[in-house]
Amino acid sequence: MKFSYDFLQSFFRKKLPSPEELAKALMMHSFEVEGVEKVGSDFSIDIDVLPNRAGDCFSHIGIAREIAAVTGMEYKMPGTDVIEKGPEISKQISVEVRNACSRYTLRGIEGVKVKSSPPYLQRRLKSCGIKPINNVVDVANYVMLETGQPLHAFDADKLEGGKIVVRYAKKREKIVTLDEKRYELQESTLVISDELSAIGIAGIKGGIVPEVDKKTERVYLEAANFSPKVIRKGSQELKIRTDASLRFEYGIPAELTLMALDRAAVLIAQTGGGKVMKGAIDHYPKKREEKEVIFSAEDVRKILGVEISLKEVEKILRKLEFKVKRNKSFFYVVSPYFRTDIDIKEDIIEEVGRMYGYENIEPEVPVGEIIPAEKSSFLSSKDVCKKIWNGLGFDETYNYSFINQESAELFNRKILIEMEKPASLEFKYLRPSLVPGLCRNLKENEKNFEKIKMFETGKIFTKKEGSTQEGEMLGAISSVDDFYSLKEKINLFIRKFTYLSPSYEENGENVFMDKRRSAKIFLGKEKIGSFGEVSRTVTKEMKVKSGAAVAEIDLEKLIGFYKETKEYEPILRFPALVRDIAVLVPKKTRCLDVLEKITKEGGKNLREIKLFDVYEGKEIPMEMKNFAFRLFFQSGSKTLSSEEVNKLQKKITKSLEEVKEWKVRK
């Protein structure tokens, strides 16, 4: 924020240090200074005021106080002694405050002559980046820069009904602002209105109707303390950012309103003549209560790490205008009204530290026993999973743990957890699956890439029997792979991670996958996930151009099969013999049931079974399907003969055909 050196000098009788020296002093004790620039005969000092100090230091008075505390120079407050000669303002107009305003103050001036401002005032405004307009508007801006309290001036004769109302905008209410732009207001936007319509967007920008111009003779000056949340929301919705809205958003002391109005009334009377109306309308129902903070000298030593004498602590706090009482080693401190950032003892001790000078506090290496964090086997295993998928050519992606209404419609409502106060409509529900986020990632990346392979790990959330359930999942999506090629990658992943071979069953449950080209993934009898090609319904709904295959695996179940220490078997020296077997079964039959029978009868020499085809078609009855398996027979002690393998295959065939509805195809 830019500050005028000439303006700051006006608060001091003695000559200030040069702008460069002043910048160095402020940087050592208060704020970073971005730069010093000469503007005409003045200097503009760009000070990076911290957000917590916006309440007092978004003003020249606030910076002057800091300079006084740092340099030891005395500063003087500007004159606010108002000479009231006009009529009673309360007989001219009334004020009604309905919403989001803790204090609203109004003064009036009649017989004003609108003209150019004095050179010193224009010069200081320009140094702060504000263009001079006329004496009334310039004074309002000048006093805002001086005190930190935004003001607004109305042409009193352009108001309707003799009443000012602070309220929320009506439905579809419109306003034309001073820059001649037209806005349709939301019902959450705070406005200033007369009895007919809105005349200004509260805390943000004035309306053009009561604009002060050369014909203006009677002026109403407004100073208020609006709700920071309401002003910020209105500013964001309308996309209007002003010096006034910036100050209101961060919050300013309510005590400033009357002081700022008095100061503005004095300056307008000086620059434009006129008579200040008697009295001020001041709506201030709930005044701020002073809060006492107690701390000890020991607190100062512990927090700052240095011994500072009791007298020095008290001296520093009094320089910063705190009210201080001391009883032995205890301090009882009340912060001044303009220090809205002070709340706890640590806040006050921090003030002592920065004024004492951090350069005077010797750094000490902390002494203590450092105990390494306990290793998390789950996180270590999760990292192994990620490395394997990276090795398979997949890039990791991260998504929010929320889905929007559009994605939510693909799920059963009973399992969804709706946010009570979502940040936006995009974050309305907690995600019950990783797949919607991965589909959105695919859609966005299609704009720039042809081949997309991504994976994500993260939590999903579902509702079951009234309670919330969380699960850690791994999801993968690929525009390159189809059902079969993604299955191979899943096989590689699971074997590399667990040294176990997965089995698969048909899947008709997952709403994101094609029912005919999807499968459940099993390790033993434990279902650990599912995979398949993304259904056309989903690609159409989520506007995904390319076809894709997707997988979702329960990490917590999968990691249960992971062993950090691996057991290796020697590579068998003897060759394997391969046989194929096809089984005709009812459609409801699970692949796992068939595999169990084959495994049981195959014995120890049946090393591996692969399901390589599931077929439903013209050559077989409608209510049936065909599983085709490849069997690998291998012994660790000898070369198996064809007769031995054929014997085992016959045994498997006989066992399968013992099931009434199953038939081995020959």
Side-chain angles (χ1 to χ4, degrees):
M1 184 168 281
K2 293 182 178 180
F3 293 85
S4 162
Y5 178 76
D6 183 48
F7 204 158
L8 292 170
Q9 179 63 69
S10 68
F11 295 96
F12 297 89
R13 290 187 176 88
K14 292 183 179 180
K15 177 68 176 172
L16 286 174
S18 70
E20 291 76 15
E21 291 173 346
L22 192 60
K24 287 179 183 178
L26 288 171
M27 280 197 285
M28 290 300 293
H29 297 281
S30 302
F31 311 110
E32 290 287 331
V33 177
E34 299 292 332
V36 176
E37 182 184 358
K38 189 167 178 60
V39 181
S41 60
D42 194 6
F43 288 90
S44 175
I45 306 174
D46 192 355
I47 302 175
D48 186 13
V49 178
L50 298 172
N52 66 311
R53 295 296 303 278
D56 66 312
C57 285
F58 273 12
S59 69
H60 282 71
I61 288 177
I63 298 299
R65 287 194 191 102
E66 287 293 306
I67 293 170
V70 169
T71 63
M73 298 173 68
E74 289 187 10
Y75 79 98
K76 63 182 190 306
M77 290 291 286
T80 56
D81 295 330
V82 183
I83 300 172
E84 301 175 335
K85 292 184 178 180
E88 289 278 351
I89 189 172
S90 57
K91 293 179 181 179
Q92 308 295 311
I93 193 165
S94 63
V95 171
E96 181 183 350
V97 177
R98 296 178 187 172
N99 307 105
C101 181
S102 59
R103 187 176 189 182
Y104 188 93
T105 313
L106 195 75
R107 266 200 178 277
I109 307 168
E110 64 175 17
V112 174
K113 290 182 180 179
V114 178
K115 56 184 180 180
S116 296
S117 302
Y120 83 90
L121 200 149
Q122 292 192 38
R123 184 173 65 249
R124 292 173 184 175
L125 289 177
K126 288 176 182 176
S127 294
C128 298
I130 294 178
K131 181 182 177 182
I133 298 172
N134 60 53
N135 58 333
V136 175
V137 175
D138 291 352
V139 163
N141 286 329
Y142 183 86
V143 173
M144 176 185 71
L145 296 175
E146 188 173 57
T147 64
Q149 171 67 56
L151 304 175
H152 189 68
F154 302 107
D155 186 323
D157 295 318
K158 294 178 182 177
L159 301 181
E160 298 288 344
K163 189 175 185 179
I164 288 177
V165 182
V166 183
R167 59 170 173 82
Y168 286 122
K170 298 172 185 175
K171 191 174 183 180
R172 295 181 180 175
E173 188 169 11
K174 296 179 178 63
I175 189 172
V176 178
T177 53
L178 288 166
D179 53 3
E180 299 183 1
K181 291 183 180 178
R182 187 179 182 84
Y183 296 93
E184 183 172 312
L185 306 173
Q186 302 289 328
E187 291 178 69
S188 58
T189 303
L190 196 67
V191 299
I192 310 298
S193 77
D194 57 20
E195 286 198 336
L196 290 183
S197 60
I199 56 173
I201 307 170
I204 299 173
K205 193 175 275 285
I208 199 167
V209 173
E211 179 185 15
V212 173
D213 55 30
K214 291 181 179 179
K215 296 180 181 178
T216 300
E217 293 182 351
R218 289 199 315 141
V219 172
Y220 287 139
L221 279 173
E222 161 197 280
N225 194 268
F226 300 116
S227 163
K229 289 181 181 178
V230 173
I231 300 304
R232 179 170 177 76
K233 186 177 180 183
S235 176
Q236 287 179 326
E237 286 173 346
L238 296 169
K239 296 180 181 177
I240 306 174
R241 188 86 162 167
T242 61
D243 288 333
S245 69
L246 179 69
R247 286 166 169 80
F248 282 123
E249 284 175 29
Y250 283 112
I252 54 176
E255 289 82 355
L256 287 177
T257 62
L258 188 57
M259 182 189 81
L261 277 186
D262 289 348
R263 174 62 174 159
V266 169
L267 289 175
I268 289 174
Q270 287 176 359
T271 61
K275 298 176 181 178
V276 180
M277 295 181 189
K278 292 176 184 174
I281 296 174
D282 191 13
H283 175 86
Y284 193 17
K286 190 177 180 180
K287 292 180 172 59
R288 181 184 72 95
E289 294 181 4
E290 290 187 340
K291 180 182 177 181
E292 187 176 69
V293 179
I294 304 170
F295 63 93
S296 66
E298 180 63 15
D299 292 327
V300 176
R301 189 194 64 77
K302 282 182 178 179
I303 292 171
L304 296 181
V306 66
E307 291 279 359
I308 303 177
S309 70
L310 299 177
K311 286 184 179 179
E312 182 68 11
V313 171
E314 186 173 349
K315 181 183 176 182
I316 288 171
L317 292 175
R318 291 194 186 281
K319 278 200 301 183
L320 292 170
E321 300 185 35
F322 287 83
K323 296 177 183 176
V324 186
K325 290 180 183 177
R326 181 158 60 91
N327 183 2
K328 295 182 180 178
S329 64
F330 281 87
F331 294 88
Y332 302 82
V333 179
V334 176
S335 60
Y337 74 88
F338 50 83
R339 290 303 302 271
T340 55
D341 59 309
I342 301 297
D343 191 49
I344 55 178
K345 66 182 180 183
E346 285 79 4
D347 295 332
I348 297 177
I349 294 170
E350 182 185 3
E351 293 296 296
V352 173
R354 73 181 180 89
M355 298 308 296
Y356 177 76
Y358 293 126
E359 71 279 8
N360 296 321
I361 301 174
E362 290 292 330
E364 290 184 14
V365 178
V367 177
E369 188 177 354
I370 300 174
I371 302 171
E374 188 177 336
K375 185 179 179 182
S376 167
S377 59
F378 181 83
L379 291 178
S380 299
S381 305
K382 187 175 170 181
D383 286 340
V384 173
C385 288
K386 291 182 179 183
K387 287 175 183 176
I388 296 172
W389 280 98
N390 278 140
L392 292 169
F394 285 69
D395 296 310
E396 187 173 6
T397 184
Y398 298 89
N399 288 300
Y400 289 114
S401 299
F402 306 93
I403 58 172
N404 57 23
Q405 180 69 42
E406 186 180 288
S407 298
E409 289 173 1
L410 296 166
F411 295 96
N412 183 344
R413 285 275 179 180
K414 292 180 181 179
I415 69 165
L416 290 175
I417 301 168
E418 186 173 353
M419 301 299 293
E420 186 175 336
K421 294 180 180 179
S424 77
L425 293 177
E426 288 296 309
F427 302 147
K428 194 171 183 182
Y429 300 93
L430 285 171
R431 64 182 178 188
S433 168
L434 301 181
V435 179
L438 289 168
C439 286
R440 281 197 300 273
N441 295 149
L442 179 64
K443 175 188 169 185
E444 290 301 316
N445 281 276
E446 280 179 333
K447 298 171 184 176
N448 302 304
F449 304 100
E450 291 181 6
K451 297 180 180 180
I452 302 156
K453 295 195 289 184
M454 294 180 290
F455 77 93
E456 178 185 12
T457 60
K459 287 193 178 292
I460 63 166
F461 308 85
T462 53
K463 190 164 58 178
K464 190 175 182 181
E465 298 174 357
S467 64
T468 301
Q469 295 186 339
E470 296 182 20
E472 188 82 20
M473 304 294 285
L474 182 147
I477 195 165
S478 171
S479 67
V480 180
D481 295 294
D482 62 5
F483 174 81
Y484 295 104
S485 57
L486 184 60
K487 179 187 171 186
E488 283 302 312
K489 289 181 172 63
I490 292 169
N491 281 336
L492 284 168
F493 164 62
I494 292 175
R495 284 172 186 162
K496 195 165 186 179
F497 186 68
T498 66
Y499 287 80
L500 300 171
S501 294
S503 57
Y504 302 92
E505 275 189 24
E506 287 180 297
N507 179 31
E509 299 174 1
N510 197 302
V511 293
F512 287 95
M513 299 176 194
D514 189 309
K515 290 183 179 180
R516 298 177 68 85
R517 296 176 74 82
S518 61
K520 299 172 189 174
I521 309 168
F522 286 84
L523 273 176
K525 293 186 178 180
E526 182 86 70
K527 181 195 167 189
I528 62 166
S530 57
F531 79 100
E533 294 181 9
V534 179
S535 70
R536 290 183 181 178
T537 305
V538 173
T539 54
K540 186 177 179 181
E541 187 75 28
M542 302 197 77
K543 298 175 183 176
V544 176
K545 293 178 185 177
S546 57
V550 68
E552 193 166 31
I553 297 170
D554 189 321
L555 263 184
E556 292 174 347
K557 288 181 179 178
L558 179 67
I559 287 173
F561 291 92
Y562 177 71
K563 291 181 180 178
E564 193 170 350
T565 304
K566 304 293 186 296
E567 294 179 7
Y568 293 93
E569 291 183 359
I571 297 171
L572 298 179
R573 295 186 299 128
F574 303 100
L577 293 180
V578 180
R579 295 287 187 271
D580 289 345
I581 190 167
V583 190
L584 197 63
V585 297
K587 283 188 177 180
K588 64 181 180 180
T589 304
R590 299 189 311 158
C591 177
L592 193 61
D593 296 331
V594 182
L595 283 169
E596 282 180 355
K597 273 197 169 294
I598 295 173
T599 304
K600 182 180 178 182
E601 299 301 329
K604 64 179 182 179
N605 289 331
L606 178 58
R607 292 287 174 174
E608 188 178 355
I609 309 169
K610 283 187 178 180
L611 173 69
F612 67 87
D613 188 36
V614 179
Y615 179 74
E616 297 174 35
K618 296 177 183 178
E619 293 80 5
I620 60 175
M622 284 183 64
E623 71 278 2
M624 306 292 278
K625 63 184 176 182
N626 184 76
F627 287 135
F629 299 96
R630 186 153 290 154
L631 313 181
F632 296 83
F633 296 94
Q634 191 175 20
S635 171
S637 58
K638 65 175 185 174
T639 300
L640 293 173
S641 66
S642 294
E643 289 77 15
E644 287 175 305
V645 172
N646 291 339
K647 189 177 178 181
L648 283 171
Q649 188 172 12
K650 284 178 183 179
K651 186 181 177 184
I652 291 168
T653 300
K654 184 181 177 183
S655 175
L656 291 172
E657 289 187 332
E658 285 175 358
V659 180
K660 187 178 178 181
E661 297 174 316
W662 295 5
K663 185 178 180 181
V664 177
R665 304 183 75 188
K666 299 171 184 174

